[in-house]
């Protein structure tokens, strides 16, 4: 859980005040990992006050984050700093937030990022790290994981040291998100809720967060009454609550399958979830019906046939990646999930996409 | 914000595993502050594993917690321990949780607890402290305050060091709460929601938490469908979310007035809020109507005429305590609250109670 949060339009302006007391020395800089779409965007960059050796590293989020990318960033930061940094600040979407969390961990833990993919493998506390989302829906701002594609698997570094020490939720930062991206990433949150609320791991904690986030998603994507600002505010809170809902629960079929797509085809997480979820009536009938209504209302065209030309071998890789995510399948389908979701059944599903 | 939470029936059994890695040395014990109603209650006490110099201190919650009580507990703990304790664990209702937070702070900060009543006056981080509620509704498990009656005022120690490091939410621990107490304390949460949702400080963060808690309260206190266990689970989550709603917002008229009652008459917080709220139709018309419906459904008789025999001097003390809580009034009535809530008006309100 994130111990410190500020929320509010314009709260990004408080970043300097938040960081000042956390500076360890003039040789221990703050390193900002910023999505490179903001490179010449004064709205964001003019408000990042660099002192002493502080640096902004612009990072592309064109691709899903990789363990090798984390290792490269860590090496770059070690080479450019005189002392261990005072903190890492991630500014961007899920990719940037996950990279910031992973880099903060790998600055104090030996070896390579791939060694820590899994649950509770991190030995030393991460350095101070701050997350500032500029798009709403991923839940990366609140989660205790940092999803990474490694050489062998797509799996997060799940640990008590992963969550941010501070999160700044400023809905104004999301104002320039392109419409498609807004929809796909918002649906990431919506799908979290559906998977959590329909999962066998559900308890009253996850249920109350999931229901709250779901209501907010409905207001944002199907309602008629919200102003643009209200809609931005509410989607940012939906993302937060949707993330909280799965901290103590799990996601399900859509995430398990979309990880396979992402591993093999590099499909980005948000759109990948949408492509998969669109075909999951069998598992989430009401959730998928509502999803189709949202898709229609916002005139979203999803790519089709992305698996049509895959070889059997490629499909098998995807299936094996997907089926390895056992907690997701168990949450979705119960303890006997292997009887329901056979490799054959999964292949049929993928072939529809 | 609380960085670590576990939720679930029976999760209290995990306390030993949670505390073990936090033990600083064999001379640095864990000190448990436990409500003395649990003194011979094996359901609770048999599951507290005492090692080395660990101690249980039983504390009465008959009265609202006092700054002098905090100072006495701190002195008692310093005298009984060889080294600064590894942690303080509060087990009980709001009183016990607030005492645990305050004691954890005062073990590392000089002077007396009364010196820290206010906002952000605490200089040093508190020692590790854990909160385990045994009744739902106060929000003390999540708040960044610890409400204390001092020699001059009833006001909390509000600071970034106040929130618990760990909270254990085990709804099973609430199973033996007497019905009246269940209602009064549950209404503390309900009233938090109404005050937060109708306040001028409201933002999307507080609104989403407040609405979620309000829905859960309605289900628990007016619904027909919940099993006893579901009702316990949901009320515990309502308390959590209600507390979250006011972390970045504020309470309002009912709390401002009930602090006055509590200061002068020692009225406990839960019942005090109910007595006051019952007369606040003018400020919270829908909220009070629903409150009256809940009161009737559960056949709750509130005390009447508790202010009938007070002298003018006594009333003036109460009014002055109440009006000193400026942020609460401003949240409830806006920046010009002093024009609405004059001492005369407040006296009329108190006299009805």
């Amino acid at each position: 859980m994130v111990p410190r949060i500020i929320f509010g339009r314009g709260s990004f302006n408080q970043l300097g005040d938040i960081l000042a007391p956390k500076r360890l020395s003039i040789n221990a800089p703050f390193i900002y990992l910023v999505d490179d779409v903001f490179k010449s965007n004064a709205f964001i960059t003019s408000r990042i006050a660099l002192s002493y050796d502080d640096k902004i590293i612009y990072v592309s989020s064109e691709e899903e984050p990789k363990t090798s990318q984390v290792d490269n960033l860590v090496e770059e930061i070690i080479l450019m700093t005189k002392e261990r940094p005072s903190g890492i600040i991630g500014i961007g979407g899920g990719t940037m937030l996950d990279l910031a969390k992973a880099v903060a961990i790998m600055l104090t833990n030996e070896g390579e990022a791939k060694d820590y993919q899994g649950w509770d493998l991190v030995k030393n506390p991460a350095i101070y790290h701050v997350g500032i989302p500029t798009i709403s829906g991923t839940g990366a701002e609140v989660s205790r994981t940092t999803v990474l594609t490694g050489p062998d698997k797509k799996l997060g570094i799940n640990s008590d040291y992963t969550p941010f020490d501070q999160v700044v939720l400023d809905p104004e930062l999301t104002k320039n998100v392109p419409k498609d991206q807004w929809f796909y990433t918002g649906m990431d949150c919506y799908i979290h809720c559906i998977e959590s609320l329909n999962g066998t791991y559900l308890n009253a904690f996850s249920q109350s967060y999931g229901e709250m986030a779901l209501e907010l998603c409905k207001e944002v994507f199907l309602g008629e009454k919200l102003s643009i600002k209200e809609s931005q505010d509410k989607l940012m809170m939906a993302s937060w609550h949707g993330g909280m809902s799965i901290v103590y629960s799990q996601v399900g079929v859509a995430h398990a399958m979309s990880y396979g797509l992402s591993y093999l085809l590099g499909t980005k997480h948000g759109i990948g979830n949408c492509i998969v979820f669109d075909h999951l009536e069998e598992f989430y009938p009401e959730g998928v019906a509502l999803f189709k209504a949202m898709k229609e209302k916002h005139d979203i065209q999803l790519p089709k046939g992305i698996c049509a030309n895959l070889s059997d071998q490629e499909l098998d890789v995807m299936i094996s990646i997907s089926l390895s995510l056992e907690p997701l399948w168990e949450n979705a389908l119960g303890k006997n999930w292997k009887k329901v979701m056979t490799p054959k059944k999964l292949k049929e599903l993928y072939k529809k996409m």
Side-chain angles (χ1 to χ4, degrees), chain A residues 92-94 133-141 169-171 173-174 177 181-190 221 231-240:
Chain A
T134 59
I135 187 168
S136 297
T138 68
E141 65 278 20
L169 298 178
D170 182 348
L173 302 183
T174 67
V177 173
Q181 198 55 44
W182 165 80
F183 185 84
Y184 299 144
T185 309
M187 287 300 108
D188 191 10
C189 172
Y190 173 74
F221 290 101
S231 173
Q232 291 164 354
D233 289 7
K234 291 196 180 220
L235 190 55
M236 191 159 267
M237 286 313 302
S239 177
W240 179 265

Side-chain angles (χ1 to χ4, degrees), chain A residues 94-335:
Chain A
T95 295
M96 224 47 52
L97 299 183
D98 278 349
L99 283 174
K101 290 191 277 186
V103 165
I105 288 170
M106 293 311 301
L107 279 165
T108 56
N109 286 276
E110 292 189 353
E112 298 172 69
K114 71 176 170 60
D115 306 336
Y116 298 92
Q117 285 180 287
W119 279 269
D120 301 310
L121 302 172
V122 178
K123 289 184 187 62
N124 303 315
I127 69 166
Y128 177 74
H129 51 302
V130 178
I132 307 179
T134 59
I135 187 168
S136 297
T138 68
E141 65 278 20
V142 69
S143 74
R144 78 187 283 282
T145 191
T146 155
V147 184
L148 297 171
T149 305
D152 310 317
K153 56 197 171 205
K154 181 169 179 189
L155 182 62
I157 301 179
N158 297 266
S159 82
D160 281 346
Y161 302 121
T162 307
F164 287 110
D165 297 295
Q166 168 84 54
V167 165
V168 176
L169 298 178
D170 182 348
E172 203 180 22
L173 302 183
T174 67
K175 68 179 183 180
N176 295 322
V177 173
K179 185 182 160 196
D180 277 12
Q181 198 55 44
W182 165 80
F183 185 84
Y184 299 144
T185 309
M187 287 300 108
D188 191 10
C189 172
Y190 173 74
I191 295 169
H192 286 156
C193 298
I194 301 294
E195 291 181 311
S196 169
L197 291 171
N198 290 283
T200 59
Y201 291 2
L202 190 69
N203 63 21
F205 186 98
S206 297
Q207 186 183 358
S208 65
Y209 275 105
E211 285 176 353
M212 175 161 55
L214 182 60
E215 282 310 309
L216 289 166
C217 286
K218 286 186 197 168
E219 260 187 281
V220 168
F221 290 101
L222 287 174
E224 304 287 349
K225 286 192 227 151
L226 298 182
S227 71
I228 291 175
K229 287 183 182 179
E230 284 170 337
S231 173
Q232 291 164 354
D233 289 7
K234 291 196 180 220
L235 190 55
M236 191 159 267
M237 286 313 302
S239 177
W240 179 265
H241 296 319
M244 285 296 294
S245 178
I246 50 172
V247 167
Y248 297 98
S249 167
Q250 251 306 351
V251 285
V253 180
H255 276 75
M257 289 189 65
S258 109
Y259 276 22
L261 285 186
S262 163
Y263 184 85
L264 189 78
L265 304 173
T267 316
K268 292 276 293 176
H269 184 69
I271 191 170
N273 275 349
C274 288
I275 293 170
V276 172
F277 196 67
D278 208 24
H279 295 278
L280 297 184
E281 299 92 338
E282 183 181 345
F283 305 101
Y284 307 111
E286 291 172 26
V288 173
L290 218 54
F291 171 77
K292 288 183 187 289
M294 294 173 177
K295 206 178 57 162
E296 195 181 330
K297 182 176 160 87
H298 297 287
D299 195 19
I300 300 292
Q301 309 297 333
L302 290 174
K304 288 196 169 131
I306 63 167
C307 297
N309 299 318
L310 294 181
S311 67
D312 270 354
Q313 203 189 350
E314 286 172 319
L315 280 166
D316 287 345
V317 169
M318 233 160 45
I319 289 164
S320 132
I321 288 286
S322 176
L323 291 179
S324 74
L325 296 160
E326 304 210 351
L328 282 63
W329 290 108
E330 185 178 311
N331 177 47
L333 306 174
K335 285 208 187 305

Side-chain angles (χ1 to χ4, degrees), chain A residues 43-96:
Chain A
F43 175 64
I44 301 278
T45 55
S46 72
R47 295 195 281 166
I48 299 175
L50 299 179
S51 309
Y52 308 108
D53 297 339
D54 296 351
K55 290 262 170 10
I56 296 180
I57 302 178
Y58 289 102
V59 182
S60 163
S61 61
E62 277 294 303
E63 298 188 352
E64 292 284 285
K66 295 185 181 57
T67 55
S68 58
Q69 195 181 5
V70 173
D71 297 332
N72 291 339
L73 281 166
V74 168
E75 197 177 334
E76 184 181 346
I77 291 168
I78 290 172
L79 290 175
M80 71 162 61
T81 53
K82 295 174 198 138
E83 288 176 13
R84 186 181 279 174
S86 295
I88 302 292
I89 299 100
I91 302 178
T95 295
M96 224 47 52

